[in-house]
Amino acid sequence: HTSKVSVPDDLVVRQHLTRAQDALEQGDAPRAIRTWQDILDRLSGKVVESHRAARMGTETDAVIDGDRFQGVRDRVMELIRALPGQGLLQYRKMMEPKARRLLADGIAKEDEGLLRECARRYLLTDSGRGAHFALIDLLIEHGRFEEARVAAKRLRHNLTAAELAGPIGIQILARE
């Protein structure tokens, strides 16, 4: 029995991911970082195949048992975290100024949308995490406790075990 489910194969996402990989292979980490950030900015709601099950015959286009997909956002953050050497630090240095401005604007205006945008686009920066905490606090202040709990859980899901063992893990627990 073959599934009739299909997952849109987004050519733009595949091209961006390939472009970033090519940049890395050419030793141009800043270009790869900019390409990945473009994906986070514009295409983070898409999915990509993370595992393709073995195919037989004409089962090339349909999703079959064993296929696995993941959100583009999660995949790109994995790739950024996996950059060799000081790659993650380089990402943070490149993106922190933009994230800081967006966070400051969101806090100054108490704008939930701007805080969500900063947290979504720049989670791997200090300001992106700050935006997530500011969003959680704003939700709590407005009595939206379940949404705040879910936002804290989402943040926890996106951190590494080492990060959760540090001060940021305690801050998340205090808000859950």
Side-chain angles (χ1 to χ4, degrees), residues 12-30:
V12 174
V13 170
R14 280 191 296 122
Q15 287 173 336
H16 273 64
L17 291 172
T18 299
R19 217 175 287 132
Q21 184 60 40
D22 291 346
L24 278 183
E25 290 170 4
Q26 295 167 8
D28 192 352

Side-chain angles (χ1 to χ4, degrees), residues 84-149:
Q86 298 292 313
L88 179 57
L89 189 61
Q90 185 177 15
Y91 169 82
R92 288 177 173 153
K93 184 178 177 184
M94 289 174 65
M95 297 303 149
E96 181 61 35
K98 293 176 185 177
R100 189 179 313 115
R101 284 190 300 273
L102 190 57
L103 172 60
D105 198 24
I107 289 174
K109 295 177 180 175
E110 293 188 22
D111 186 318
E112 181 180 334
L114 290 175
L115 294 173
R116 285 186 188 279
E117 180 182 350
C118 186
R120 178 184 54 79
R121 290 172 57 192
Y122 300 109
L123 181 62
L124 296 178
T125 66
D126 289 340
S127 292
R129 290 175 180 174
H132 219 106
F133 283 117
L135 173 63
I136 293 166
D137 291 345
L138 183 68
L139 293 170
I140 290 170
E141 287 172 17
H142 291 141
R144 295 161 56 192
F145 303 114
E146 183 60 19
E147 285 180 75
R149 188 191 64 75

Side-chain angles (χ1 to χ4, degrees), residues 35-90:
T35 302
W36 284 327
Q37 187 60 51
D38 187 46
I39 293 171
L40 292 173
D41 292 347
R42 299 183 313 109
L43 304 166
S44 64
K46 307 283 186 174
V47 296
V48 291
E49 193 171 61
S50 60
H51 174 76
R52 185 170 177 84
R55 300 294 203 262
M56 296 171 34
T58 61
E59 300 175 329
T60 57
D61 293 335
V63 174
I64 65 170
D65 191 32
D67 285 348
R68 300 288 177 264
F69 297 85
Q70 83 179 121
V72 169
R73 180 176 183 265
D74 289 342
R75 179 68 184 136
V76 167
M77 287 195 306
E78 285 175 6
L79 292 167
I80 293 169
R81 281 188 177 109
L83 281 167
Q86 298 292 313
L88 179 57
L89 189 61
Q90 185 177 15

Side-chain angles (χ1 to χ4, degrees), residues 133 152 156 164 167-176:
F133 283 117
R156 185 170 18 95
L164 287 171
I168 197 167
I170 294 168
Q171 290 174 320
I172 292 170
L173 285 175
R175 287 167 171 86
E176 283 187 300

